[in-house]
Amino acid sequence: MTGGGRGKGVHTRGALDNLRPPHREHSMGRGSRTPGPRRARAATGSKLQRWIDLLAALLRRHGAAPLEELVRDVPAYQHAPSRGALRRTFERDKDELRAFGIPIATISDAGGEVVGYRLKADQFYLPYLTLMGERRATPPRRVDRYGYRALAELTFDADELEAVAEAARGVAALGDPMLVELAASAMRKLAFDLPVDAAAPAAESSTSVRESAAVRVGLAAAGATLEALDDALRRRKRTTIEYYAIGPDAVREREVEPFGLFFLGHHWYLAARDSSSDLVKNFRVSRIHRVTVNSAQPGTPDYDVPAGFSLREHARSRQAWELGDAAALDAVVEFRGASGPAYAARRLGEPVADSPSRRRFSVRRLDSFARWLLSFAGEVAPVSPPELVEAYHALADAALAAHGGAR
């Protein structure tokens, strides 16, 4: 349930009441079947109108319809300058609608010859949502005139509906602006059929109003940043970002080569090669203040993503202690054992000058890092900072106490 509005599927049921393709004489004006130049330009100039007319033409038919039949219900197709232009426009419209997730099927005969195109209503619309009361299900608000009787129903009982609402509140409580907006959008769509008071917010205090405004501003900024990064990714263009680094508490300019975007730990991250170090790093999108995509040679890629790079694997490679909102701490660890696990853990850290047995880690979550160190049973121990050493020993004491021992 992405996007706004209260509709079913790709379009609202209410909107589709008006999607019946106009009769041909209506599209050609009163008392005349010959379109004037202005009306012809209007009919051919709107891609959205073509799409609506094409969808309505497909949905009103139960079987496969050849292009010649669909043309009668799509006025813009009637003004194509040639048969070839008509075919190209139709194929482009069909492909673009499919890209939106609309399952327009191409139907062929036994010999592989295309005989027509079909769009099944039950694959285009979402089912009706109903609520099961004490005695029976509440009937959905149906509009049967154009065949919506064929749609399935999905019934919730009161406890299930409350669980859905509670889940939406939980998602909103995470504080991520994009998730807040998506959860609100989903609940607005449920409210179209179900008694979910999602569209009318409860009375808000001045503090909550300010927080809501901040969420909307943050969402708009994050959306613009993601769009710019997506553009750079698609065209493989080098990008300059102004990035806030928590460690030095400063905004610094970075030139990067975007490799991918991923969502992890309630935040969006950009995986990109940093030109200053030639390493693939993660940049949290909410800390990117400005994005400038290289405008030189817009049709030519600036770089190639290495063939062996996997965004999925890269995103999974982040350690639990590296995630979170806290400022990163510089942790130094002493490696005292030579077991296989200790050797593998050693490779995750950075070298410490003049201390071959020590490694340096960037840690945002001391609790997770301390638990990880404790799993090596003394072969790996923290050296600094003091709060990490204290957390490590507190965990060790708690573990010993649980098993009747003492340190």
Side-chain angles (χ1 to χ4, degrees):
M1 292 185 177
T2 60
R6 59 176 191 167
K8 314 295 290 180
V10 180
H11 300 277
T12 68
R13 285 205 300 267
L16 276 181
D17 295 343
N18 301 317
L19 292 192
R20 294 281 288 181
H23 294 298
R24 190 165 183 171
E25 50 272 18
H26 289 174
S27 68
M28 296 182 179
R30 293 184 180 179
S32 173
R33 292 179 178 270
T34 303
R38 181 179 298 177
R39 188 170 296 276
R41 286 196 298 271
T44 57
S46 172
K47 177 185 290 189
L48 180 59
Q49 185 64 55
R50 289 203 316 269
W51 287 354
I52 292 174
D53 290 339
L54 176 58
L55 290 174
L58 288 166
L59 287 168
R60 71 185 298 186
R61 291 167 170 82
H62 298 293
L67 177 56
E68 292 75 11
E69 185 177 328
L70 294 174
V71 168
R72 295 199 295 268
D73 289 335
V74 183
Y77 290 166
Q78 300 166 17
H79 303 291
S82 66
R83 173 73 182 180
L86 166 64
R87 170 59 69 176
R88 289 191 297 271
T89 301
F90 169 73
E91 292 294 336
R92 184 167 57 248
D93 289 344
K94 176 166 57 69
D95 291 344
E96 289 174 337
L97 288 170
R98 283 175 172 172
F100 282 119
I102 299 175
I104 299 175
T106 300
I107 309 301
S108 303
D109 59 19
E113 187 76 17
V114 175
V115 296
Y117 306 89
R118 182 175 64 198
L119 176 58
K120 292 184 177 180
D122 60 353
Q123 294 178 350
F124 180 71
Y125 301 103
L126 292 177
Y128 286 104
L129 305 180
T130 64
L131 178 65
M132 178 63 71
E134 295 182 359
R135 297 181 178 178
R136 61 183 180 85
T138 58
R141 290 172 286 181
R142 292 178 178 247
V143 182
D144 293 331
R145 184 178 177 189
Y146 298 131
Y148 298 118
R149 289 184 296 268
L151 296 186
E153 294 182 11
L154 179 61
T155 302
F156 293 81
D157 61 32
D159 290 340
E160 291 172 334
L161 189 57
E162 175 57 30
V164 171
E166 181 63 30
R169 289 192 288 269
V171 170
L174 295 175
D176 184 273
M178 300 192 75
L179 289 180
V180 169
E181 178 61 23
L182 289 174
S185 173
M187 295 305 290
R188 286 194 299 269
K189 291 181 179 181
L190 289 177
F192 183 72
D193 278 344
L194 298 172
V196 178
D197 189 17
E204 297 177 309
S205 66
S206 59
T207 301
S208 64
V209 169
R210 288 195 299 271
E211 290 173 348
S212 298
V215 164
R216 289 192 292 270
V217 172
L219 176 63
T225 300
L226 284 169
E227 285 185 6
L229 293 174
D230 179 67
D231 174 60
L233 274 167
R234 290 176 182 275
R235 297 191 292 121
R236 298 287 187 261
K237 302 300 291 184
R238 289 191 181 89
T239 303
T240 301
I241 61 174
E242 292 183 5
Y243 188 71
Y244 171 69
I246 292 181
D249 190 25
V251 175
R252 295 178 177 175
E253 193 173 272
R254 308 278 189 92
E255 184 183 70
V256 298
E257 297 174 350
F259 282 10
L261 289 162
F262 62 94
F263 190 81
L264 186 67
H266 314 314
H267 296 286
W268 280 101
Y269 290 89
L270 168 70
R273 182 163 50 202
D274 191 335
S275 60
S276 64
S277 62
D278 202 36
L279 297 175
V280 179
K281 298 181 179 180
N282 292 336
F283 301 91
R284 207 167 94 182
V285 171
S286 60
R287 296 198 193 120
I288 298 176
H289 294 277
R290 188 187 301 272
V291 178
T292 305
V293 181
N294 179 25
S295 58
Q297 297 181 309
T300 303
D302 295 338
Y303 63 93
D304 291 318
V305 177
F309 177 78
S310 167
L311 183 62
R312 183 183 297 273
E313 294 303 319
H314 175 82
R316 286 177 177 172
S317 70
R318 301 304 92 195
Q319 304 297 333
W321 63 79
E322 297 178 298
L323 303 175
D325 297 325
L329 296 176
D330 194 28
V332 177
V333 173
E334 179 85 24
F335 283 82
R336 302 168 179 170
S339 66
Y343 178 78
R346 179 189 178 93
R347 298 176 61 186
L348 298 177
E350 300 292 333
V352 175
D354 302 323
S355 299
S357 64
R358 295 183 177 184
R359 307 292 280 184
R360 191 182 310 276
F361 294 81
S362 180
V363 177
R364 297 188 188 279
R365 295 179 57 189
L366 284 179
D367 56 343
S368 295
F369 193 63
R371 286 194 297 270
W372 179 69
L373 295 178
L374 196 64
S375 69
F376 294 97
E379 287 192 307
V380 185
V383 175
S384 65
E387 54 264 43
L388 172 61
V389 177
E390 181 180 349
Y392 174 83
H393 288 305
L395 283 173
D397 290 343
L400 287 170
H403 292 84
R407 179 158 59 90

